[in-house]
Amino acid sequence: MYQVKCIGMLTSGGDAPGMNAAIRAVTRAAIYNGIKVKAIYRGYKGLITGEIKEFQTQNVSNIIQQGGTILKTARCMEFLTEEGRKLAFETLQKEGIDALVVLGGDGTFTGARIFSQEFNIPVVGVPCTIDNDLYGTDYTIGYNTALNTIMEAVDKIRDTANSHERLFFIEVMGRDAGFLALNSAVASGAEAAIIPEIQTEVDQLEELIQRGFRKSKNSSIVIVAESDATGGAIGVAERLKKEHPEYDARVTILGHIQRGGSPTASDRVLASRLGAAAIDALLDEQRSVMVGVVNDEVVYVPFNKAIKHEKDVNESLLDVLKVLSI
Ligand code: ATP
C-alpha cells in the first residue's frame, strides 16, 4: 500500500468565505497524519510557475475567521492546455508532491479530474463556492455565509422599500443556480424569487403580476438570481416597465459584497469537517473525488458525478414563499 507523503494544496476559481477554515483543516489534518503540506499560491497558475511554500501548523493560525483565501486564487487558462498541465506536473515532481487537494468549484474539479487521469496522481476536491451548485453535497463551503450576507442586505433595503412604498428587484449571485435567491427570499420575507431553474416552464414575472402581489402591501421585494435566462434583475425590471408600466420598480444588484466577510459558524464547521475529510480520503486511497456532506455524513463523490450532474433546488420552497407572501 502506498502512503501519501506530501500533498500540494491550492484554492482556485471564485473565492468563498470558509476557504481559509478549510485550508487550516487540510493543513492540520495532514500534519496530524504525518503528511507534509506544500501550499500552492494562485491556483493552477502557481502550480505551473512553482509559487509554493511548505506550511507548518502555525502558517494557518488565526485564519479560521477570515474571509477570502490566504493562498490567493486565479483563473488559469494555461491549465486548459496539455502543455500547461505538463508544466504543472513537472512542478509536482520537483517539489516531491505526490497528491493534490484542490479547493474550488466546478471548473476547478474539471481541471483536477483531467490532471489526475493524465498523470495518474491522486486529487481530492473540497467544494467551495457561495452558489451551492455542486452535485453530491448538500452544502458547499461559503454558501451559508453568503445567504446570511444577502439576508442582512435585504433587511436594510426593506426599510427603504417600506418607507417609500416601493417595489425592489434585488439581484443575487448564483450563476444560473437559484439556491441563494430562493433561500434568501424565504429568509428575508421577500414576496417572491425569480430563479433560472423554472424559467422555461413558468413565466415567473407574469405569475407574480397575476397574483396581484402588491395589493395588500405597501412595499414588495423580489429576489432575482443572476442569469442569462431572465437577464437578472435589470432584465426583469425592463420587462416590467414594458409590459406593466403601472408598476415602478427599483433595482439593486448586491454584487461582490456577497462573496466576502467572516464565515458563519456553520461554514467554519463544514470547512473544518471537509478539510479533514480530504486527508481521510487520501489515506483511504481515493484518487479523483470531491468530499461532501449528505444528511450530515461525509461522502466521497467521484469528480465525474459532481461535475456532470445538476443539483436540483428544492422547488417546494417556492410554494412556501407564495403562501407566506399573501
Ligand atoms: P466558481 O464556482 O467560484 O467559479 P470554479 O472552480 O468553477 O469556481 P472556474 O473559473 O470555472 O472556477 O475554474 C477555475 C480554474 O480551473 C480555471 O481557471 C482553470 O485553470 C481550471 N479549469 C477549469 N475548467 C478546466 C478544464 N476544462 N480543463 C482544465 N482546467 C480547467
Side-chain angles (χ1 to χ4, degrees):
M1 191 186 93
Y2 180 74
Q3 148 92 52
V4 170
K5 292 193 181 71
C6 174
I7 60 159
M9 165 182 69
L10 59 83
T11 51
S12 160
D15 64 306
M19 269 182 162
N20 282 326
I23 289 168
R24 170 180 177 271
V26 169
T27 303
R28 296 217 165 139
I31 292 171
Y32 178 88
N33 285 287
I35 300 169
K36 256 197 208 173
V37 179
K38 296 213 173 168
I40 300 157
Y41 287 82
R42 298 183 174 77
Y44 292 125
K45 200 164 151 203
L47 193 55
I48 291 172
T49 58
E51 241 190 296
I52 293 173
K53 174 180 167 177
E54 187 171 340
F55 265 19
Q56 311 297 340
T57 180
Q58 58 273 22
N59 290 101
V60 292
S61 295
N62 204 24
I63 64 167
I64 196 169
Q65 75 282 23
Q66 289 174 27
T69 160
I70 60 162
L71 297 183
K72 315 292 179 195
T73 182
R75 317 245 181 218
C76 173
M77 299 319 281
E78 225 182 327
F79 201 71
L80 300 181
T81 68
E82 236 180 285
E83 305 85 79
R85 292 192 297 272
K86 189 159 176 289
L87 288 173
F89 182 64
E90 283 166 12
T91 306
L92 292 189
Q93 285 183 308
K94 200 172 107 214
E95 293 282 342
I97 294 171
D98 46 21
L100 269 184
V101 176
V102 297
L103 285 66
D106 214 41
T108 302
F109 298 161
T110 306
R113 187 186 66 88
I114 297 169
F115 189 64
S116 170
Q117 264 176 359
E118 263 174 359
F119 299 101
N120 191 27
I121 176 158
V123 185
V124 173
V126 180
C128 298
T129 164
I130 65 165
D131 302 341
N132 200 32
D133 60 347
L134 279 167
Y135 179 87
T137 184
D138 288 346
Y139 299 107
T140 56
I141 296 163
Y143 169 66
N144 184 266
T145 307
L147 196 54
N148 279 284
T149 302
I150 294 168
M151 184 184 71
E152 284 167 23
V154 175
D155 286 349
K156 292 190 170 120
I157 293 168
R158 173 77 75 185
D159 291 344
T160 300
N162 267 338
S163 305
H164 288 268
E165 303 185 280
R166 268 191 185 139
L167 160 64
F168 271 83
F169 289 118
I170 302 177
E171 182 176 301
V172 302
M173 284 183 170
R175 218 182 26 178
D176 283 315
F179 296 96
L180 282 174
L182 190 48
N183 286 276
S184 66
V186 174
S188 59
E191 276 58 50
I194 294 184
I195 59 169
E197 282 87 346
I198 60 164
Q199 183 56 26
T200 45
E201 306 120 61
V202 187
D203 186 340
Q204 298 162 90
L205 179 62
E206 203 45 46
E207 200 191 66
L208 249 171
I209 304 288
Q210 294 313 322
R211 242 165 56 204
F213 71 115
R214 288 192 76 204
K215 276 193 189 125
S216 58
K217 305 262 172 85
N218 68 0
S219 76
S220 291
I221 289 194
V222 177
I223 310 291
V224 185
E226 65 173 351
S227 159
D228 295 337
T230 60
I234 292 176
V236 174
E238 274 170 3
R239 254 196 74 195
L240 184 82
K241 205 168 161 190
K242 230 189 272 162
E243 297 169 22
H244 299 279
E246 67 275 22
Y247 290 108
D248 174 29
R250 294 287 187 276
V251 169
T252 300
I253 296 173
L254 293 186
H256 281 87
I257 195 174
Q258 297 164 85
R259 288 248 288 260
S262 180
T264 57
S266 164
D267 268 333
R268 294 182 200 194
V269 172
L270 182 66
S272 301
R273 279 183 89 183
L274 292 186
I279 300 304
D280 288 339
L282 289 173
L283 295 173
D284 287 349
E285 296 179 53
Q286 299 287 329
R287 301 188 65 78
S288 192
V289 298
M290 175 189 91
V291 290
V293 280
V294 173
N295 295 330
D296 208 28
E297 296 284 340
V298 168
V299 293
Y300 302 150
V301 191
F303 279 142
N304 262 345
K305 267 196 173 172
I307 295 159
K308 277 201 195 118
H309 292 74
E310 298 266 305
K311 181 155 97 187
D312 295 329
V313 290
N314 184 350
E315 287 181 23
S316 69
L317 271 182
L318 279 169
D319 297 329
V320 173
L321 252 184
K322 228 179 267 179
V323 170
L324 301 186
S325 68
I326 50 161

